[in-house]
Amino acid sequence: EDCAVAYRDAGKPADPFELLKSRGANLVRVRIWNDAEWTPYSNLADVEKTIRRSRRAGMEVLLDFHYSDDWADGEKQIIPKAWAHITDPDALAQALYDFTLQTLRELDRDGLMPELVQVGNETNGEILSTLERAKEPIDWARNAKLFNAGIRAVRDAGAKSSINPRVMLHV
């Protein structure tokens, strides 16, 4: 839409969310990055806009935390620049927990708590890593600590919300 694309239904302009819902869609997957300065998308403001439109169309939301400033996928899980200096796994888990909890609480304050939360994206390897570290064997104790911090944040945020999101891991 920002690039002047018009979605149409039987030749008439249509809201893409309404159009997808009318064709059977019931869930919108929304990505969030930590601090992607290179794009106006996938930040908290963009996520809020997308969740509002999803809800107006009658669809649930899956919020996908990439825990990166860019695409996180099976080949790369680049730690966000704000956390790059953190080497202690406990401190890194706390940063991940705080970011997840704060984001979800902000969304909940505006009535935008997602029904599902994905802790990490395509986490085939080690989460919150570097390109160099990606070549090393996975530190499963570290990975578990980070995943558990994200899961705990989702559960803590949901405990004080009218929506208690389900947790999803994406491997």
Side-chain angles (χ1 to χ4, degrees):
E1 291 172 308
D2 290 347
C3 297
V5 170
Y7 293 82
R8 299 185 182 281
D9 187 8
K12 296 179 183 168
D15 177 273
F17 292 83
E18 296 289 339
L19 181 61
L20 291 167
K21 174 66 176 175
S22 74
R23 298 300 195 271
N26 61 6
L27 179 74
V28 175
R29 184 172 179 243
V30 183
R31 167 187 54 248
I32 189 163
W33 287 316
N34 287 53
D35 187 17
E37 295 174 345
W38 59 275
T39 179
Y41 301 106
S42 300
N43 57 33
L44 186 58
D46 185 52
V47 165
E48 289 171 339
K49 176 182 164 185
T50 302
I51 293 175
R52 278 190 186 90
R53 292 183 71 186
S54 302
R55 292 275 170 72
R56 273 196 304 268
M59 293 185 281
E60 291 187 348
V61 172
L62 161 60
L63 181 60
D64 173 4
F65 281 88
H66 276 235
Y67 299 120
S68 184
D69 297 330
D70 202 337
W71 298 95
D73 57 46
E75 297 296 318
K76 63 182 182 343
Q77 296 285 322
I78 306 301
I79 191 168
K81 64 183 170 304
W83 304 347
H85 68 283
I86 304 173
T87 57
D88 175 59
D90 290 327
L92 193 54
Q94 187 64 52
L96 186 149
Y97 174 88
D98 292 344
F99 177 73
T100 306
L101 185 67
Q102 177 185 358
T103 300
L104 293 174
R105 284 188 174 161
E106 284 189 45
L107 290 171
D108 192 42
R109 273 193 294 273
D110 293 333
L112 301 173
M113 179 67 84
E115 286 79 13
L116 293 106
V117 175
Q118 182 175 311
V119 177
N121 188 68
E122 296 184 22
T123 53
N124 305 350
E126 195 162 85
I127 191 170
L128 296 173
S129 192
T130 63
L131 288 175
E132 297 77 30
R133 189 176 174 112
K135 296 175 181 117
E136 298 175 13
I138 297 170
D139 180 341
W140 289 107
R142 178 184 178 276
N143 249 19
K145 184 181 298 272
L146 297 173
F147 281 123
N148 285 328
I151 291 166
R152 192 173 71 254
V154 174
R155 292 188 175 143
D156 288 352
K160 296 185 178 186
S161 173
S162 63
I163 295 175
N164 190 2
R166 291 167 285 168
V167 175
M168 178 178 156
L169 298 179
H170 181 192
V171 178

